[in-house]
Amino acid sequence: MTRREVLAWLEARRPVPPDALRAGLEAAVSGAELTPTAPLSDQLALLGRRVLGRVVGRPAGGRELALELLVADAFITYAFEAQSEVDAAGLATLAERIAGSEP
């Protein structure tokens, strides 16, 4: 999926996330290089791992990292939602891929 398609999918989620979280999600997607042929669930998981990687890379960080943690969590949650929309039987495999990847 393209950035535009990912953003459209995120925008269609209900309930709508709070403005600050939505802005963080949009910023992460807009600044990311996506693989159009990868499934949406994998792209969302990768976005979540990248945001988490930025947080982990700042071990001295404090409360200012809270929003980024929420963004990372939202992407991972949305990855599972996207996977369940396509094939719920693939949820365990997605979890294994997420857990086995580097942030």
Side-chain angles (χ1 to χ4, degrees):
M1 296 184 97
T2 65
R3 282 187 203 120
R4 179 178 289 178
E5 291 170 320
V6 171
L7 288 170
W9 187 89
L10 289 170
E11 192 168 309
R13 301 301 93 200
R14 297 295 179 263
V16 175
D19 291 343
L21 180 57
R22 188 172 61 239
L25 293 165
E26 290 172 0
V29 172
S30 296
E33 191 171 316
L34 301 177
T35 306
T37 57
L40 175 62
S41 59
D42 287 348
Q43 292 196 51
L44 294 168
L46 178 60
L47 287 163
R49 296 291 297 190
R50 285 179 182 165
V51 173
L52 182 60
R54 288 197 307 262
V55 172
V56 170
R58 296 174 57 195
R63 298 182 112 199
E64 71 275 6
L65 297 176
L67 182 58
E68 286 191 75
L69 282 173
L70 289 172
V71 170
D73 176 68
F75 275 126
I76 299 300
T77 301
Y78 284 141
F80 284 104
E81 184 175 340
Q83 180 63 47
S84 69
E85 289 176 354
V86 175
D87 176 23
L91 289 169
T93 303
L94 175 63
E96 290 170 3
R97 286 197 308 271
I98 292 170
S101 62
E102 293 296 319

